Amino acid sequence: MGKVFRFERKTNGLQKINMRDIVIGDSNFVVMAGPCAVENREQLISTAKCVKESGSHFLRGGAFKPRVSPYSFQGLGEEGLELLNEAKKETGLLIITELMDKSDFGLIDRCADIIQVGSRNMHNYSLLKFLGETQKPVMLKRGYSATIEEWLLAAEYIHIYGNSNVILCERGIRTFDNTTRFTLDLGAVALIKSFTNYPVFVDPSHGSGMRELVGPLAKAAVVVGADGLLIEVHTDPDQALSDGKQSLSCEDFSRLMDELNPICSLVGKKLM
Amino acid sequence: MGKVFRFERKTNGLQKINMRDIVIGDSNFVVMAGPCAVENREQLISTAKCVKESGSHFLRGGAFKPRVSPYSFQGLGEEGLELLNEAKKETGLLIITELMDKSDFGLIDRCADIIQVGSRNMHNYSLLKFLGETQKPVMLKRGYSATIEEWLLAAEYIHIYGNSNVILCERGIRTFDNTTRFTLDLGAVALIKSFTNYPVFVDPSHGSGMRELVGPLAKAAVVVGADGLLIEVHTDPDQALSDGKQSLSCEDFSRLMDELNPICSLVGKKLM
Amino acid sequence: MGKVFRFERKTNGLQKINMRDIVIGDSNFVVMAGPCAVENREQLISTAKCVKESGSHFLRGGAFKPRVSPYSFQGLGEEGLELLNEAKKETGLLIITELMDKSDFGLIDRCADIIQVGSRNMHNYSLLKFLGETQKPVMLKRGYSATIEEWLLAAEYIHIYGNSNVILCERGIRTFDNTTRFTLDLGAVALIKSFTNYPVFVDPSHGSGMRELVGPLAKAAVVVGADGLLIEVHTDPDQALSDGKQSLSCEDFSRLMDELNPICSLVGKKLM
Amino acid sequence: MGKVFRFERKTNGLQKINMRDIVIGDSNFVVMAGPCAVENREQLISTAKCVKESGSHFLRGGAFKPRVSPYSFQGLGEEGLELLNEAKKETGLLIITELMDKSDFGLIDRCADIIQVGSRNMHNYSLLKFLGETQKPVMLKRGYSATIEEWLLAAEYIHIYGNSNVILCERGIRTFDNTTRFTLDLGAVALIKSFTNYPVFVDPSHGSGMRELVGPLAKAAVVVGADGLLIEVHTDPDQALSDGKQSLSCEDFSRLMDELNPICSLVGKKLM
């Protein structure tokens, strides 16, 4: 590993990405929480408030949703972005949301502090090249069947076109065992941290598909060296329009943040 | 299987797609052959002539290439499309080529008779919706880690937006065993043929990554019920800019076409 | 591939295994059919008669069954072997049955013409060494997650201890897609035939888990170069104690044998 | 999950297994360390001393080795067991070693405090039934391609035949990505701990195949709820006859034990 990659050698310390008062990378541990999909004003604002109160730094929430079935809820689109902007103003949280199509970039750029490239678009090289020509911070989720090398090369697409604000996010890979929705590959996180200077996040919600496993895997992410977490939180998980089974309630999320604190301290990271 | 799908039930026989004098589906067996990537005029024209002579109905060749590494040859782009047009005029072959980005649709539409959506874009739902709003025939390759259900739902994205000219193409899936590049899933072909009326093609070149296996797997595709083949042919495989190891030479291709003929006859298909 | 293997180079033609009037390997195509498990006298004898009548050369049937759950039917054991012996006398069919434990070898040796090592015991190196010290023909099924190299090295365990009567059997591998029970890897069959001289069989029943796919995959096995088939047949598939969904009825099996005949002829093999 | 299993519901607290002064399960965190294979007296005794000194409770070491290739070192066999006995006397460490064949049980029983069933024998139901009829503590490693359900059902084979001294060990699963040797499935550990009362161990050495990842994954195992670790340690990893790349040196192991201590404390476990 390593020899095919030109960028992001571990030569000059961890890549830091500064947004307002938040620094990703360095010795910070950054949490991004919120619903899978933006559903309506009440759901979004109340979730934003609860994750803010528990110490989340970012609000996550999808306005454009890449759904496997065309018959599933496809997201609120532009209306969803307006609600994210509203939540941002009301809570002061930074925003991360997904871009599926470069023609939506203008809209999303006005709302998002970080643009997410989802697992199913990790191989969408047109999109990666396009984002490489911007300076927007990009969180590149691992394709659920991408090797570590393919994932790092996808990151290099963004780099080589001029944008070094790249954050990686491990979110589980597809294996023969469907008991859990995906299998979180924490060895990949430790490996990538050992020879690149990318900030690496972990998404234990997609990485398991079961809310009971989100807490244990979130803690494990801290000790293997991750720089932050992406967590699905919903005010009423059982009524969520997507991914309810893997969403934490506000109470669960608050408890998890309390439990993460001493683990972050132990490994020399600052959660808040 | 089957209950989540609304389109393409086996109610009114196989979907047929007519292009000039070629009918895909029905009792025809259609072959599309050519280089992985369009490299230059001489390579393309000479390959086009050789596949035409051996009985191929279509010329395949990529002008826009989705490559895992940004340092690999990315295709000739617009120049490649011009060469495909030239080959079309010179040989009379129909053209299939890949669209990666909807902003290139106009260019590709003027050249291609069928637009290919590659394995890495099967989950690019923005692209699928866009193609659903055209009437262009689309060959939708299976994502190399897509379940059969995910693949059929991707096809429904195109359908539901209004375009029923959809051809599926099995091209191998990723498994634990990397001895062959991918593992061709011929059971999936037989299964899909048993309860849908999509034409289904097979790509034994990507499905194995080894030219020695292309012939045996091409024959197997015929007997499991495929409607055609997508095969990589190069006038000088060892010098190919991409996928040389899985490309047939013109001589190999000619021999394979001769061998496919009696097998097609045996299963009641006409190779032409 | 190939460099780590010492035995079975393609130096002196296909390995032939002679049993009574049957020759495995060479230009013969040999069919072994019968129930997954021996259940009772009536079931076994009537199935044996029907597969004999349709042209099967061997009766398959498990007396000792390696079941994933301890609560599933574990096979009739010694009583099952007696029934197999009875079926053998009555029909003249040769017998193939599975050995799970070397302490049962004596019992099984008196009944079986070929001993099967099942997929879950392919890595049971104690068993392989033991069989290597006999001269009994062994059919070594591929571990459902074994690479081609691991499978060939398992075969070398038998060889190196002195027994060259080894037949391989591809029976499907485990992948991310559970739509079919396993994914039949016909590329592996073509690859192994290209550089070894092992006879290679295919089991389309386990390789798909769906009786609708057994026929198409059986035919595909012929054209990729297999030397024979292992097929589950049951007089009343829906009442089978194991694997009913993948078992053919006697009528289905008879029809399949008729369809295989011209395909075998086409590739220069003799089915009967 | 859960409905097909009869044993080991979370009804009466964690299953405890007592051996001399060590209790597995409960609030203890137990470490088993040593070489992959017993190679010679000096290697074994010096490794035993170093792991003892650093706080390991058990010495691990294989005398009978299930090797993929018949040309690889197969273990010292009976001589290896004698060396393990010698190391036991000299250091007071308890012993865990692998049984591949029930005919070796007597020999191994006199040496081992826990018998290991390796990943490749998890499906060896004859062996499981045999061990079920003893009262010997058994560590059942997960088959590297076994689903969680198949693994728990394998454990029930031991239970149902009368032996409840079963410990599970997650050791990595095989996926499409071969960058790491296996992919450690820590979500499976958290899941199994949530609804059964089996003690669950983790083997980060096999689970990654890279010594650089053993530390991070060992720590992650603690926080997801594991009851102990199985770790490969060698006095001279680069000279090891097997698995050297994943073995820690004595110094690395000592440092890791120091780092595990505060993490165990944080989750309320006693490393001792």
Side-chain angles (χ1 to χ4, degrees):
Chain A
M1 289 296 297
K3 63 184 184 302
V4 297
F5 309 113
R6 297 193 197 161
F7 286 96
E8 290 301 309
R9 289 300 79 65
K10 254 199 158 355
T11 47
N12 44 10
L14 184 64
Q15 170 78 19
K16 293 180 204 171
I17 298 173
N18 295 276
M19 269 155 303
R20 224 188 300 157
D21 55 329
I22 308 286
V23 184
I24 289 177
D26 209 9
S27 63
N28 298 297
F29 194 83
V30 173
V31 175
M32 307 179 176
C36 178
V38 178
E39 297 172 9
N40 57 59
R41 171 175 288 108
E42 195 196 311
Q43 170 245 17
L44 188 68
I45 303 294
S46 60
T47 308
K49 286 180 179 168
C50 94
V51 301
K52 167 79 178 178
E53 199 174 346
S54 300
S56 181
H57 308 91
F58 275 74
L59 176 65
R60 59 148 293 157
F64 297 94
K65 300 296 304 171
R67 302 303 298 275
V68 165
S69 168
Y71 312 118
S72 300
F73 174 57
Q74 305 279 312
L76 293 181
E78 197 167 345
E79 185 192 339
L81 296 175
E82 282 164 22
L83 293 176
L84 284 169
N85 264 326
E86 203 176 314
K88 186 180 193 170
K89 273 179 213 143
E90 193 138 349
T91 59
L93 286 165
L94 294 166
I95 301 290
I96 177 169
T97 197
E98 178 164 355
L99 175 68
M100 288 174 64
D101 190 324
K102 63 191 190 192
S103 63
D104 298 320
F105 177 76
L107 282 173
I108 287 184
D109 183 41
R110 283 191 288 281
C111 167
D113 298 282
I114 298 179
I115 283 182
Q116 176 183 315
V117 174
S119 182
R120 288 175 182 77
N121 275 315
M122 192 208 84
H123 290 297
N124 183 342
Y125 300 115
S126 294
L127 189 63
L128 300 182
K129 288 177 185 176
F130 173 84
L131 288 169
E133 289 166 353
T134 75
Q135 286 304 309
K136 197 77 185 178
V138 175
M139 177 168 289
L140 180 65
K141 296 192 110 178
R142 181 181 186 180
Y144 58 68
S145 292
T147 62
I148 292 173
E149 182 177 319
E150 290 169 342
W151 186 18
L152 291 174
L153 285 169
E156 297 218 3
Y157 265 100
I158 304 174
H159 254 286
I160 210 177
Y161 280 79
N163 183 354
S164 63
N165 297 307
V166 180
I167 303 159
L168 301 176
C169 181
E170 160 64 29
R171 45 78 73 211
I173 57 174
R174 183 169 274 185
T175 72
F176 63 87
D177 192 356
N178 299 336
T179 312
T180 51
R181 189 177 177 196
F182 293 99
T183 299
L184 196 65
D185 185 2
L186 292 170
V189 175
L191 179 58
I192 289 173
K193 293 302 296 181
S194 74
F195 78 97
T196 79
N197 57 13
Y198 284 111
V200 182
F201 275 56
V202 168
D203 174 349
S205 307
H206 285 88
S208 65
M210 298 171 74
R211 77 174 67 109
E212 296 79 358
L213 306 186
V214 169
L217 292 173
K219 294 171 196 170
V222 177
V223 298
V224 298
D227 298 289
L229 290 167
L230 207 59
I231 295 182
E232 291 192 351
V233 177
H234 196 283
T235 46
D236 188 357
D238 295 333
Q239 300 303 316
L241 292 184
S242 74
D243 288 353
K245 276 168 54 175
Q246 70 197 38
S247 294
L248 297 186
S249 67
C250 289
E251 294 69 37
D252 289 340
F253 178 67
S254 170
R255 199 177 314 117
L256 174 58
M257 290 295 278
D258 289 345
E259 292 171 4
L260 288 175
N261 231 327
I263 301 179
C264 286
S265 299
L266 197 64
V267 301
K269 290 263 173 74
K270 193 165 62 83
L271 177 58
M272 275 171 291
Chain B
M1 288 297 296
K3 63 183 185 302
V4 297
F5 309 112
R6 296 195 198 159
F7 286 95
E8 290 301 309
R9 289 302 78 64
K10 255 201 156 1
T11 46
N12 43 11
L14 184 64
Q15 170 79 19
K16 292 181 203 171
I17 297 174
N18 295 276
M19 269 157 303
R20 226 188 298 156
D21 55 329
I22 307 287
V23 184
I24 289 176
D26 208 7
S27 63
N28 299 298
F29 193 82
V30 173
V31 176
M32 306 179 177
C36 179
V38 178
E39 297 172 9
N40 57 59
R41 172 175 289 111
E42 195 195 312
Q43 169 244 18
L44 189 68
I45 303 293
S46 61
T47 308
K49 285 180 180 171
C50 94
V51 301
K52 166 79 178 179
E53 200 174 344
S54 299
S56 181
H57 309 92
F58 275 75
L59 176 65
R60 59 148 292 157
F64 296 94
K65 299 297 303 171
R67 301 303 297 275
V68 165
S69 169
Y71 311 117
S72 300
F73 174 57
Q74 305 279 312
L76 293 181
E78 197 165 345
E79 185 193 338
L81 297 175
E82 283 164 22
L83 294 175
L84 284 169
N85 264 325
E86 203 176 316
K88 186 180 194 170
K89 274 179 213 145
E90 193 139 348
T91 60
L93 286 165
L94 294 166
I95 301 290
I96 177 168
T97 197
E98 178 165 355
L99 176 68
M100 287 174 64
D101 190 323
K102 63 192 189 193
S103 63
D104 298 321
F105 178 76
L107 282 173
I108 288 184
D109 183 42
R110 283 192 287 281
C111 167
D113 298 282
I114 298 180
I115 283 183
Q116 177 182 316
V117 174
S119 182
R120 288 174 183 78
N121 275 315
M122 192 209 83
H123 290 297
N124 183 341
Y125 299 116
S126 294
L127 190 63
L128 301 182
K129 287 176 184 175
F130 173 83
L131 289 168
E133 289 166 352
T134 74
Q135 286 304 308
K136 197 77 184 179
V138 176
M139 177 169 288
L140 180 65
K141 294 191 111 180
R142 181 181 185 180
Y144 59 67
S145 291
T147 62
I148 293 173
E149 182 177 321
E150 289 169 342
W151 185 19
L152 291 174
L153 285 169
E156 297 218 1
Y157 264 99
I158 304 174
H159 254 285
I160 209 177
Y161 280 78
N163 183 355
S164 62
N165 297 307
V166 180
I167 303 159
L168 302 176
C169 181
E170 161 63 28
R171 45 78 73 212
I173 57 173
R174 182 168 274 186
T175 71
F176 63 87
D177 192 355
N178 299 337
T179 312
T180 51
R181 188 178 179 196
F182 293 98
T183 300
L184 196 65
D185 185 3
L186 292 170
V189 175
L191 180 58
I192 290 173
K193 294 300 296 181
S194 75
F195 78 97
T196 79
N197 56 13
Y198 285 111
V200 182
F201 275 56
V202 168
D203 174 350
S205 307
H206 285 88
S208 64
M210 299 171 73
R211 78 175 66 110
E212 296 79 359
L213 306 187
V214 169
L217 292 174
K219 295 171 196 170
V222 177
V223 298
V224 298
D227 297 290
L229 291 166
L230 206 59
I231 295 182
E232 292 193 351
V233 177
H234 195 283
T235 46
D236 189 357
D238 295 335
Q239 301 302 315
L241 293 184
S242 74
D243 289 352
K245 276 168 55 176
Q246 70 196 38
S247 294
L248 297 186
S249 67
C250 290
E251 296 67 37
D252 289 340
F253 178 67
S254 170
R255 199 176 314 115
L256 175 57
M257 290 295 278
D258 288 345
E259 292 171 4
L260 288 175
N261 232 325
I263 301 178
C264 286
S265 298
L266 198 63
V267 301
K269 290 261 173 75
K270 193 164 63 86
L271 177 59
M272 300 165 82
Chain C
M1 288 296 295
K3 63 184 184 303
V4 298
F5 310 112
R6 295 193 198 160
F7 285 96
E8 290 303 309
R9 287 303 78 62
K10 251 199 159 1
T11 47
N12 45 9
L14 185 64
Q15 170 79 18
K16 292 181 204 171
I17 297 174
N18 294 276
M19 271 156 300
R20 224 188 300 158
D21 55 329
I22 307 286
V23 184
I24 289 177
D26 209 8
S27 64
N28 299 297
F29 194 83
V30 173
V31 175
M32 306 179 177
C36 179
V38 178
E39 297 172 10
N40 57 59
R41 172 175 288 110
E42 194 196 312
Q43 170 244 18
L44 189 69
I45 303 293
S46 61
T47 308
K49 285 181 180 168
C50 96
V51 300
K52 167 79 178 179
E53 199 174 346
S54 300
S56 182
H57 310 92
F58 276 75
L59 176 65
R60 58 149 293 158
F64 297 92
K65 300 296 303 171
R67 302 303 298 274
V68 165
S69 168
Y71 312 118
S72 300
F73 174 57
Q74 305 278 313
L76 293 181
E78 198 167 345
E79 185 193 338
L81 297 175
E82 283 163 24
L83 295 176
L84 284 168
N85 265 326
E86 202 175 317
K88 187 180 193 170
K89 273 179 215 145
E90 191 138 351
T91 60
L93 287 165
L94 295 165
I95 301 289
I96 177 168
T97 196
E98 179 164 356
L99 176 67
M100 287 174 66
D101 190 324
K102 63 192 188 191
S103 63
D104 298 321
F105 178 76
L107 282 174
I108 287 184
D109 184 41
R110 283 192 287 283
C111 166
D113 299 281
I114 299 179
I115 284 183
Q116 177 182 315
V117 174
S119 181
R120 288 174 182 77
N121 275 316
M122 192 209 83
H123 290 296
N124 184 340
Y125 300 115
S126 294
L127 189 64
L128 301 182
K129 288 176 184 175
F130 173 83
L131 288 169
E133 289 165 354
T134 75
Q135 287 304 310
K136 196 76 183 179
V138 176
M139 177 169 288
L140 180 65
K141 295 191 110 178
R142 180 180 186 179
Y144 59 67
S145 292
T147 62
I148 292 173
E149 182 177 320
E150 289 169 342
W151 185 19
L152 291 174
L153 285 169
E156 297 218 3
Y157 265 99
I158 304 174
H159 255 286
I160 210 177
Y161 280 78
N163 183 355
S164 63
N165 297 308
V166 180
I167 304 159
L168 302 176
C169 182
E170 160 64 29
R171 45 77 73 213
I173 57 174
R174 183 169 274 187
T175 71
F176 63 87
D177 192 356
N178 299 336
T179 313
T180 51
R181 190 178 177 195
F182 293 99
T183 299
L184 196 65
D185 185 3
L186 292 170
V189 175
L191 179 58
I192 290 173
K193 293 300 296 181
S194 74
F195 78 98
T196 80
N197 56 14
Y198 285 112
V200 182
F201 275 56
V202 168
D203 174 350
S205 307
H206 284 89
S208 65
M210 298 171 73
R211 79 174 65 109
E212 296 80 357
L213 306 187
V214 169
L217 292 173
K219 294 171 196 170
V222 177
V223 298
V224 298
D227 298 290
L229 291 167
L230 207 61
I231 295 183
E232 292 193 350
V233 177
H234 196 284
T235 46
D236 188 358
D238 295 334
Q239 301 302 315
L241 292 184
S242 73
D243 289 353
K245 275 168 56 175
Q246 70 196 36
S247 295
L248 297 186
S249 67
C250 291
E251 296 69 36
D252 289 340
F253 178 66
S254 170
R255 199 176 316 115
L256 174 58
M257 291 295 278
D258 289 344
E259 292 171 4
L260 288 173
N261 231 327
I263 301 178
C264 286
S265 299
L266 197 63
V267 301
K269 291 260 173 76
K270 193 163 63 84
L271 176 58
M272 278 172 283
Chain D
M1 287 299 295
K3 64 185 183 303
V4 298
F5 310 113
R6 295 193 199 162
F7 286 96
E8 291 300 311
R9 287 302 78 63
K10 255 199 156 356
T11 46
N12 44 10
L14 185 64
Q15 170 79 19
K16 291 180 205 173
I17 297 174
N18 295 275
M19 269 156 303
R20 223 188 301 156
D21 55 329
I22 307 287
V23 183
I24 289 176
D26 209 6
S27 63
N28 299 298
F29 193 83
V30 173
V31 175
M32 308 179 175
C36 178
V38 178
E39 298 171 9
N40 57 60
R41 172 176 288 108
E42 196 196 310
Q43 170 244 18
L44 189 68
I45 304 293
S46 61
T47 308
K49 286 181 179 167
C50 95
V51 302
K52 167 80 177 177
E53 200 174 344
S54 299
S56 182
H57 310 92
F58 276 75
L59 177 65
R60 59 149 292 157
F64 296 93
K65 300 296 303 170
R67 302 302 298 275
V68 165
S69 168
Y71 311 117
S72 299
F73 174 58
Q74 306 280 313
L76 293 181
E78 198 166 343
E79 186 193 337
L81 296 175
E82 283 163 23
L83 294 175
L84 284 169
N85 264 326
E86 203 176 316
K88 187 179 191 170
K89 273 178 213 143
E90 191 136 350
T91 59
L93 286 166
L94 295 166
I95 302 290
I96 177 168
T97 197
E98 177 164 356
L99 175 67
M100 285 174 66
D101 191 324
K102 63 192 189 191
S103 63
D104 298 321
F105 178 77
L107 282 173
I108 287 184
D109 184 40
R110 284 193 287 283
C111 167
D113 299 281
I114 298 179
I115 284 183
Q116 177 181 315
V117 174
S119 181
R120 288 174 183 76
N121 275 316
M122 192 208 83
H123 290 296
N124 184 341
Y125 300 115
S126 294
L127 189 63
L128 301 182
K129 287 176 184 175
F130 173 83
L131 288 168
E133 288 166 354
T134 75
Q135 287 303 310
K136 196 77 184 176
V138 176
M139 177 168 289
L140 180 66
K141 295 191 110 179
R142 181 180 185 179
Y144 59 68
S145 291
T147 62
I148 293 173
E149 182 177 319
E150 289 168 343
W151 185 18
L152 291 174
L153 284 169
E156 298 217 2
Y157 264 100
I158 304 174
H159 254 286
I160 209 176
Y161 280 78
N163 183 354
S164 63
N165 297 308
V166 181
I167 303 159
L168 302 177
C169 181
E170 161 63 28
R171 45 78 72 214
I173 57 173
R174 183 168 273 185
T175 70
F176 63 87
D177 192 358
N178 298 336
T179 312
T180 52
R181 190 177 177 196
F182 292 99
T183 299
L184 197 65
D185 185 4
L186 292 170
V189 176
L191 179 58
I192 290 173
K193 294 300 296 179
S194 75
F195 79 97
T196 80
N197 56 13
Y198 285 112
V200 182
F201 275 56
V202 168
D203 174 349
S205 306
H206 285 88
S208 65
M210 298 171 74
R211 79 175 66 108
E212 296 80 358
L213 306 187
V214 169
L217 292 173
K219 294 171 196 169
V222 177
V223 298
V224 298
D227 298 289
L229 291 167
L230 207 59
I231 295 183
E232 292 193 351
V233 177
H234 196 283
T235 45
D236 188 357
D238 295 333
Q239 300 302 315
L241 293 184
S242 74
D243 289 353
K245 275 168 56 175
Q246 70 197 37
S247 294
L248 297 187
S249 67
C250 290
E251 295 69 37
D252 288 340
F253 177 66
S254 170
R255 198 176 317 115
L256 175 58
M257 290 295 278
D258 289 345
E259 292 171 3
L260 288 174
N261 232 326
I263 302 179
C264 286
S265 300
L266 197 64
V267 301
K269 289 260 172 75
K270 193 162 62 86
L271 178 57
M272 298 164 85

